[in-house]
Amino acid sequence: MRTPHTSSFKPKLVVFLAAPDTQIVDVAGPYQVFVRAAELYEREHPGAPRPYSVLLASTTRGRAVRTNCGLSLLGQATFRSIKGPIDTLLVSGGSGLDKAARDKDLLQWLRLNSAKARRFGSICTGAFLLAAAGLLEGKKATTHWKWANELAARYKNAIIDPDPIFIRDGKMYTTAGVTAGMDLALALVEEDLGAPLALRVAREMVLYLRRPGGQSQFSAAMSLQSSDRKPIADLEAWVIENLNRDLSVESLARRCHMSPRNFARVFREETGLTPYKFVERARIEAARRRLEESDNALDAIAGDCGFGSADSLRRSFVRILHTSPGDYRGRFSGKALG
């Protein structure tokens, strides 16, 4: 689908299925990624047909979808009125899915159209509707970490992994919470139209480039939300801004006016990570972003991110991400590592 230039080409239909009380970002975020990709493609290929037609369909008899933040979205169709073959079918998450899951006609429609679509999946808790339709049977899937245990308990034949940003199992894609839907949309655009265009979409929307599907939902930056103690939260923020400084336990403990032993205990209780692991994750994330978004040499990236040497950075990448910095840059930025 990377060069749809022929006059017979029809835009691929991307359908977002949403129930009442859906999360607005579960719809609007990834929806906008596909729309922006189509706009950029047309701009860069004058005269070429649009690669995507994007549509919001409700699970009810009316086209309007009330979101759980109080705003309403006017969709173009209901699930019953969609015409033509669906290329990509994505179920958005939200608090109204339990009611939708009791609609036998909707579940039958979802089973039928998921089978016929080139790919299908869910965003956030949309996985619950896929599961109610029997589409997670024997499949590996993810959802928002907060609801992963419930999904696993209710659908015991599904293999639920609460850690990744998104998971692909065959032609099914499931994502973690909210903004992970945009990560998935960028990944699907990259599959269809190539990494350079996906990169331009990400830059125009001021997003990070697509994160690898195996990246944890529990990043170092996200752990800032887990600590109720202001000194620990402040320290975490300082660490992320000062990765090339001395970040030993002893040094960090001094900043918090604590003994190293007490600091290490409190930090782990508050964040679920040892200070060493938090620092390592923060450095890996910073290096990953540099590899995606810059042409900087590996030595420079290693120094800026606190690894000390390119060899140390390589060892950490292989141990944590199971890939080398060069392979990572080649896959996620399209640049070769000099």
Side-chain angles (χ1 to χ4, degrees):
M1 187 179 159
R2 291 178 187 236
T3 55
H5 291 294
T6 64
S7 59
S8 62
F9 175 83
K10 292 183 179 179
K12 300 295 186 184
L13 181 59
V14 180
V15 172
F16 287 85
L17 183 67
D21 295 317
T22 191
Q23 290 264 16
I24 194 169
V25 180
D26 285 1
V27 177
Y31 192 109
Q32 185 64 56
V33 169
F34 283 107
V35 170
R36 186 60 54 83
E39 291 171 347
L40 287 176
Y41 188 88
E42 284 186 307
R43 185 189 309 168
E44 295 170 8
H45 299 85
R50 198 174 182 87
Y52 298 121
S53 174
V54 193
L55 180 150
L56 171 62
S58 75
T59 61
T60 63
R61 294 186 178 277
R63 291 186 296 135
V65 177
R66 185 186 68 253
T67 69
N68 61 8
C69 70
L71 298 177
S72 290
L73 302 173
L74 183 59
Q76 301 95 320
T78 71
F79 76 92
R80 294 179 175 86
S81 66
I82 296 175
K83 305 296 183 184
I86 299 172
D87 177 78
T88 302
L89 174 59
L90 297 172
V91 179
S92 298
S95 53
L97 290 170
D98 279 344
K99 183 176 181 180
R102 296 193 291 272
D103 185 332
K104 294 182 179 179
D105 289 340
L106 174 63
L107 296 182
Q108 178 60 26
W109 180 92
L110 189 55
R111 284 190 288 267
L112 177 63
N113 284 277
S114 294
K116 294 193 296 184
R118 179 167 65 104
R119 59 195 179 197
F120 71 96
S122 61
I123 299 161
C124 195
T125 55
F128 281 85
L129 193 60
L130 294 185
L135 297 171
L136 297 191
E137 292 281 323
K139 297 287 188 178
K140 189 173 183 180
T142 193
T143 188
H144 191 292
W145 60 266
K146 185 176 180 181
W147 303 105
N149 287 341
E150 181 177 340
L151 184 63
R154 286 169 60 175
Y155 300 99
K156 298 187 184 299
N157 291 330
I159 306 163
I160 307 303
D161 185 346
D163 194 47
I165 294 294
F166 64 82
I167 287 177
R168 176 181 182 178
D169 189 331
K171 68 174 188 175
M172 183 184 77
Y173 298 75
T174 53
T175 82
V178 195
T179 57
M182 287 181 273
D183 289 288
L184 175 61
L186 283 168
L188 298 181
V189 166
E190 183 177 347
E191 281 185 12
D192 295 340
L193 302 176
L197 189 133
L199 171 60
R200 289 191 287 277
V201 173
R203 285 176 173 166
E204 286 212 4
M205 293 183 66
V206 197
L207 298 169
Y208 288 128
L209 290 178
R210 179 172 69 89
R211 293 172 284 185
Q215 185 177 330
S216 174
Q217 295 188 45
F218 309 102
S219 69
M222 285 179 65
S223 77
L224 291 168
Q225 304 171 41
S226 67
S227 178
D228 293 329
R229 291 198 183 190
K230 192 173 187 300
I232 297 297
D234 288 347
L235 177 70
E236 291 176 311
W238 181 86
V239 165
I240 289 171
E241 295 297 322
N242 294 274
L243 293 173
N244 60 352
R245 299 182 65 166
D246 175 12
L247 300 179
S248 64
V249 171
E250 291 75 15
S251 176
L252 297 178
R254 284 195 298 271
R255 288 193 65 85
C256 291
H257 307 290
M258 301 168 70
S259 70
R261 182 175 179 180
N262 188 43
F263 166 75
R265 178 185 61 80
V266 170
F267 191 95
R268 184 162 190 167
E269 287 176 354
E270 289 292 309
T271 68
L273 294 171
T274 66
Y276 175 84
K277 285 193 175 296
F278 175 82
V279 169
E280 183 178 44
R281 284 193 184 189
R283 284 173 167 160
I284 284 287
E285 287 175 26
R288 177 179 55 78
R289 290 194 297 270
R290 295 288 186 90
L291 288 167
E292 291 172 354
E293 299 171 0
S294 80
D295 294 309
N296 292 350
L298 193 57
D299 283 331
I301 293 174
D304 289 345
C305 296
F307 286 98
S309 71
D311 285 342
S312 178
L313 173 56
R314 287 191 187 94
R315 288 193 295 270
S316 291
F317 250 67
V318 170
R319 186 173 68 256
I320 303 300
L321 298 181
H322 308 294
T323 188
S324 71
D327 287 344
Y328 184 92
R329 173 173 271 175
R331 182 177 179 190
F332 293 107
S333 78
K335 299 180 177 70
L337 184 63

